[in-house]
């Protein structure tokens, strides 16, 4: 009988990590006798981030990456060698073969640059506004979801769910309201094992977003919605709810929608690996 082997795969990507995770899964299924643990790291684009990841790795381990920047590739390879760990560029062989046949090098820019700028926020805000009615607590819809995204108002729940939908993930979202108990439908879905992800935003950032929202809707006098003290209470109560139910928390204060969705996908893959 073949001895059970154990191996931790550390996946390092400079983008969402979806391609790398798919490649790792497709390869791992060929080794039925092995027990794999996967650690995913998305949007890795600095030497410091790479150094932090490698420092945490313990043997036995294998690093798989899709870093496109040659400097970051070299940094990762050198650090891994110092620790006696192999680092493999999953796409390198294919990229090199194509470059030979085309007689030109590949671009080194990572995936797409996910910058959070004014125009980006305007597009997301428009999409969010159009889909605002999607917030809800219908028990049947929640039970049928692949994931439920929970957070206070204006924490990017709806656009994140829409982006996840483009990835083929059935994502529902539920708002948390200050001093109002969590909807029974949400609690029932959690009890049934539906994954739940909590989104939080820094109170200062959230106050700014809500103030702009009120201006756009010409509702500058709406009591409490953009009040910083009220928002602090909302965020604190949401965090307590997430902690009480052991819900993974993602701080979206400085994340793009793509980065938030990528973090959620990483959590979902952890549950199925």
């Amino acid at each position: 009988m073949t001895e059970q082997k154990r191996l931790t795969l550390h996946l390092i990507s400079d983008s969402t990590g979806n391609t790398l995770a798919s490649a790792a899964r497709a390869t791992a299924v060929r080794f039925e006798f092995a027990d794999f643990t996967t650690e995913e790291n998305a949007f890795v684009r600095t030497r410091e981030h790479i150094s932090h990841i490698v420092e945490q790795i313990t043997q036995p381990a294998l690093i798989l990456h899709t870093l496109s920047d040659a400097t970051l590739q070299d940094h990762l390879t050198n650090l891994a060698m110092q620790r006696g760990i192999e680092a493999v560029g999953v796409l390198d062989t294919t990229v090199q073969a194509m470059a030979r046949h085309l007689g030109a090098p590949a671009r080194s820019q990572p995936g797409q640059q996910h910058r959070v700028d004014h125009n980006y926020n305007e597009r997301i805000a428009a999409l969010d506004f159009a889909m605002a009615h999607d917030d809800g607590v219908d028990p049947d819809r929640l039970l049928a979801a692949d994931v439920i995204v929970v957070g206070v108002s204006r924490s990017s729940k709806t656009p994140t769910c829409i982006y996840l939908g483009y990835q083929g993930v059935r994502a529902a979202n539920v708002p948390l309201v200050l001093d109002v108990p969590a909807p029974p439908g949400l609690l029932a879905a959690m009890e049934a094992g539906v994954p739940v992800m909590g989104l939080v935003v820094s109170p200062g950032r959230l106050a700014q977003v809500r103030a702009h929202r009120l201006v756009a809707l010409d509702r500058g006098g709406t009591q409490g919605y953009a009040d910083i003290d009220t928002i602090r209470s909302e965020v604190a109560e949401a965090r307590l709810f997430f902690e009480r139910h052991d819900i993974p928390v993602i701080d979206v204060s400085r994340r793009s929608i793509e980065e938030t969705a990528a973090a959620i996908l990483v959590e979902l893959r952890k549950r199925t690996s």
Side-chain angles (χ1 to χ4, degrees), residues 12-271:
I12 301 178
S13 171
D14 53 22
S15 190
T16 63
N18 293 340
T19 298
L20 182 56
S22 297
R25 287 196 300 271
T27 306
V29 295
R30 300 192 179 192
F31 299 89
E32 297 178 354
F33 57 85
D35 181 16
F36 291 99
T37 300
T38 304
E39 297 290 339
E40 297 187 41
N41 303 275
F43 293 97
V44 179
R45 296 177 177 173
T46 66
R47 292 167 59 91
E48 292 76 18
H49 196 173
I50 290 173
S51 298
H52 176 74
I53 293 170
V54 176
E55 288 170 0
Q56 309 303 313
I57 297 177
T58 57
Q59 296 279 22
L62 172 64
I63 298 174
L64 303 178
H65 73 84
T66 51
L67 297 176
S68 56
D69 184 279
T71 301
L72 294 182
Q73 289 183 26
D74 291 342
H75 183 62
L76 173 60
T77 300
N78 291 335
L79 287 181
M81 288 179 60
Q82 294 172 18
R83 299 285 307 279
I85 303 169
E86 184 176 3
V88 178
V90 171
L91 301 179
D92 286 356
T93 301
T94 303
V95 170
Q96 291 165 7
M98 287 185 178
R100 286 197 305 273
H101 283 271
L102 295 172
R107 293 173 56 192
S108 62
Q109 182 178 357
Q112 292 182 350
Q113 203 64 27
H114 298 286
R115 294 185 302 109
V116 182
D117 56 21
H118 178 71
N119 290 333
Y120 176 91
N121 284 326
E122 287 296 316
R123 291 194 300 272
I124 295 301
L127 187 57
D128 187 11
F129 181 79
M131 300 297 297
H133 65 279
D134 195 50
D135 279 348
V137 292
D138 178 68
D140 292 334
R141 181 172 66 86
L142 296 181
L143 286 171
D146 295 321
V147 63
I148 302 173
V149 180
V150 182
V152 301
S153 175
R154 310 311 296 171
S155 57
S156 301
K157 300 184 303 298
T158 295
T160 298
C161 287
I162 293 170
Y163 190 88
L164 287 170
Y166 287 137
Q167 305 297 315
V169 177
R170 293 174 298 175
N173 68 83
V174 174
L176 294 179
V177 181
L178 183 63
D179 296 329
V180 175
L186 172 61
L187 299 179
M190 293 167 56
E191 183 68 23
V194 178
V196 178
M197 303 293 166
L199 304 187
V200 296
V201 189
S202 68
R205 173 64 175 164
L206 190 54
Q208 183 182 45
V209 170
R210 288 186 178 182
H212 290 165
R213 173 76 162 178
L214 292 176
V215 170
L217 297 177
D218 194 22
R219 297 179 183 176
T222 301
Q223 185 67 29
Y225 185 67
D227 177 71
I228 188 65
D229 291 329
T230 301
I231 289 174
R232 287 194 182 102
S233 297
E234 287 185 64
V235 173
E237 187 173 280
R239 285 187 177 276
L240 286 174
F241 176 79
F242 298 146
E243 182 177 349
R244 187 181 310 122
H245 295 282
D246 196 26
I247 295 172
V249 175
I250 300 171
D251 190 331
V252 302
S253 302
R254 298 298 174 188
R255 289 178 187 258
S256 68
I257 301 303
E258 293 92 339
E259 289 172 314
T260 301
I264 290 174
L265 290 172
V266 167
E267 289 292 336
L268 293 179
R269 286 194 286 261
K270 285 181 181 178
R271 292 171 177 244

